[in-house]
Amino acid sequence: KQWYQRRVAITAGGDGCDIDGSYFTDFVDFVPESNVKFVVGAFDGYFNYAKMAQAFIYIKECGAEYIATNVDMNHALNDARLLPGTGAVLEGLTQSLGIQPKPGRNGHS
């Protein structure tokens, strides 16, 4: 987890972001870490606007590569219930960037 936090800067789970993100102006003074080369989108039940805005800045302004572990719109919880999947969580970021994420190491499912 330490490697992930140092290299990616936006962590999955919990808050994962030191910016409140309640207002657009919260990002005026945001200074991206200079060593971030990738933004890896994965399922995160705590994904929020602040994380999406930071990822957007790293990709658009810093040239970080956008990668997704998968782009599944649904996740089958069991035979009777579907839930939104990773693709659904990442769709706002994907649409605002105007690009599709590259597949992760194992490819998109």
Side-chain angles (χ1 to χ4, degrees), residues 66-85:
Y66 181 30
I67 299 170
T69 57
N70 71 71
V71 292
D72 298 340
M73 294 306 282
N74 297 301
H75 174 78
L77 187 60
N78 55 39
D79 290 339
R81 178 159 292 157
L82 283 176
L83 294 176

Side-chain angles (χ1 to χ4, degrees), residues 2-107:
Q2 288 298 323
W3 179 88
Y4 180 73
Q5 289 174 341
R6 281 184 308 210
R7 296 291 183 169
V8 179
I10 307 165
T11 58
D15 180 26
C17 183
D18 59 0
I19 295 175
D20 178 8
S22 300
Y23 303 96
F24 292 120
T25 55
D26 292 341
F27 298 95
V28 170
D29 295 325
F30 172 66
V31 178
E33 295 179 28
S34 62
N35 65 339
V36 175
K37 305 295 182 213
F38 306 96
V39 171
V40 180
F43 182 77
D44 180 355
Y46 294 93
F47 192 72
N48 58 37
Y49 183 82
K51 289 181 181 183
M52 182 170 60
Q54 281 188 335
F56 184 92
I57 290 169
Y58 278 112
I59 296 164
K60 262 315 199 202
E61 294 179 16
C62 303
E65 189 172 347
Y66 181 30
I67 299 170
T69 57
N70 71 71
V71 292
D72 298 340
M73 294 306 282
N74 297 301
H75 174 78
L77 187 60
N78 55 39
D79 290 339
R81 178 159 292 157
L82 283 176
L83 294 176
T86 302
V89 172
L90 297 175
E91 188 64 17
L93 178 60
T94 300
Q95 290 295 317
S96 65
L97 288 167
I99 61 170
Q100 293 296 312
K102 295 179 181 176
R105 182 179 0 179
N106 295 324

